[in-house]
Coordinates of all heavy atoms in Angstrom, one line a residue:
E293 N 149.0 -35.3 58.5 CA 147.6 -34.9 58.7 C 147.2 -35.1 60.1 O 147.5 -36.1 60.8 CB 146.7 -35.7 57.8 CG 145.2 -35.3 57.7 CD 144.4 -36.1 56.7 OE1 145.0 -36.4 55.7 OE2 143.2 -36.3 57.0
V294 N 146.5 -34.1 60.7 CA 146.2 -34.1 62.1 C 144.7 -33.8 62.3 O 144.1 -32.9 61.6 CB 146.9 -33.0 62.9 CG1 146.6 -33.0 64.4 CG2 148.4 -33.1 62.7
N295 N 144.1 -34.7 63.1 CA 142.6 -34.5 63.4 C 142.5 -33.5 64.6 O 143.1 -33.7 65.6 CB 142.0 -35.8 63.8 CG 140.5 -35.7 64.0 OD1 140.1 -35.2 65.0 ND2 139.8 -36.2 63.0
L296 N 141.7 -32.5 64.4 CA 141.7 -31.4 65.4 C 140.5 -31.6 66.4 O 140.4 -30.8 67.4 CB 141.5 -30.0 64.7 CG 142.6 -29.7 63.7 CD1 142.2 -28.4 63.0 CD2 144.0 -29.6 64.4
S297 N 139.6 -32.5 66.1 CA 138.4 -32.6 66.9 C 138.6 -33.0 68.3 O 137.8 -32.8 69.2 CB 137.4 -33.7 66.2 OG 138.1 -34.9 66.2
N298 N 139.8 -33.6 68.6 CA 140.1 -34.0 70.0 C 140.8 -33.0 70.8 O 141.1 -33.2 72.0 CB 140.9 -35.3 70.0 CG 140.2 -36.5 69.4 OD1 139.0 -36.6 69.6 ND2 140.9 -37.3 68.6
I299 N 141.1 -31.8 70.2 CA 141.8 -30.7 71.0 C 140.8 -29.8 71.6 O 140.0 -29.1 70.9 CB 142.7 -30.0 70.0 CG1 143.7 -30.9 69.3 CG2 143.5 -28.9 70.8 CD1 144.6 -30.2 68.3
N347 N 143.1 -19.8 60.1 CA 141.8 -19.7 60.8 C 142.2 -19.2 62.2 O 143.0 -19.8 62.9 CB 141.2 -21.1 60.9 CG 139.9 -21.2 61.7 OD1 139.6 -20.2 62.4 ND2 139.1 -22.2 61.5
K349 N 141.0 -19.3 65.0 CA 140.8 -20.2 66.2 C 142.1 -21.1 66.4 O 142.4 -21.4 67.5 CB 139.6 -21.1 66.0 CG 139.5 -22.2 67.1 CD 138.2 -23.0 66.9 CE 138.2 -24.0 68.0 NZ 136.9 -24.6 68.2
W350 N 142.8 -21.4 65.3 CA 143.9 -22.3 65.4 C 145.2 -21.6 65.1 O 145.4 -21.0 64.0 CB 143.7 -23.5 64.4 CG 142.5 -24.3 64.6 CD1 141.3 -24.2 64.0 CD2 142.3 -25.3 65.6 NE1 140.4 -25.1 64.5 CE2 141.0 -25.8 65.5 CE3 143.2 -25.9 66.5 CZ2 140.5 -26.8 66.3 CZ3 142.7 -26.9 67.3 CH2 141.4 -27.3 67.2
M404 N 147.4 -26.4 55.5 CA 146.1 -26.2 54.9 C 145.0 -27.0 55.6 O 145.3 -28.1 56.1 CB 146.1 -26.5 53.4 CG 146.4 -27.9 53.1 SD 146.4 -28.3 51.3 CE 144.6 -28.1 51.0
F405 N 143.9 -26.4 55.7 CA 142.8 -27.2 56.3 C 142.1 -28.0 55.3 O 141.6 -27.5 54.2 CB 141.8 -26.2 57.0 CG 142.3 -25.6 58.2 CD1 142.9 -24.3 58.2 CD2 142.1 -26.2 59.4 CE1 143.4 -23.7 59.4 CE2 142.6 -25.6 60.6 CZ 143.2 -24.4 60.6
I406 N 142.0 -29.3 55.5 CA 141.3 -30.2 54.6 C 139.8 -30.1 54.8 O 139.1 -30.1 53.8 CB 141.8 -31.7 54.9 CG1 143.3 -31.8 54.7 CG2 141.0 -32.7 54.0 CD1 143.8 -33.1 55.1
D407 N 139.4 -30.0 56.0 CA 138.0 -29.7 56.4 C 138.0 -29.0 57.8 O 139.1 -28.7 58.3 CB 137.1 -30.9 56.3 CG 137.7 -32.1 57.1 OD1 138.1 -31.9 58.3 OD2 137.7 -33.2 56.6
D408 N 136.8 -28.9 58.4 CA 136.8 -28.3 59.7 C 137.5 -29.0 60.8 O 138.0 -28.4 61.8 CB 135.3 -28.1 60.1 CG 134.6 -27.1 59.3 OD1 135.2 -26.3 58.6 OD2 133.3 -27.2 59.2
D409 N 137.7 -30.3 60.6 CA 138.3 -31.1 61.7 C 139.7 -31.6 61.4 O 140.3 -32.4 62.2 CB 137.4 -32.3 62.1 CG 136.1 -31.8 62.7 OD1 136.1 -30.8 63.4 OD2 135.1 -32.5 62.6
N410 N 140.2 -31.4 60.2 CA 141.5 -32.0 59.8 C 142.4 -30.9 59.1 O 141.9 -30.1 58.3 CB 141.3 -33.1 58.8 CG 140.6 -34.3 59.5 OD1 141.3 -35.1 60.2 ND2 139.3 -34.4 59.3
V411 N 143.7 -31.0 59.4 CA 144.6 -30.0 58.9 C 145.8 -30.8 58.4 O 146.2 -31.8 59.0 CB 145.1 -29.0 59.9 CG1 145.8 -29.6 61.0 CG2 146.0 -27.9 59.2
Q412 N 146.4 -30.4 57.2 CA 147.6 -31.0 56.7 C 148.7 -30.0 56.8 O 148.7 -28.9 56.3 CB 147.4 -31.4 55.2 CG 148.6 -32.0 54.6 CD 148.4 -32.4 53.2 OE1 147.6 -33.2 52.9 NE2 149.2 -31.8 52.3

Side-chain angles (χ1 to χ4, degrees):
E293 187 175 326
V294 182
N295 186 286
L296 305 173
S297 60
N298 295 323
I299 305 175
N347 180 341
K349 175 178 177 163
W350 299 99
M404 61 178 290
F405 286 94
I406 300 171
D407 52 43
D408 291 340
D409 293 329
N410 293 278
V411 65
Q412 179 179 299

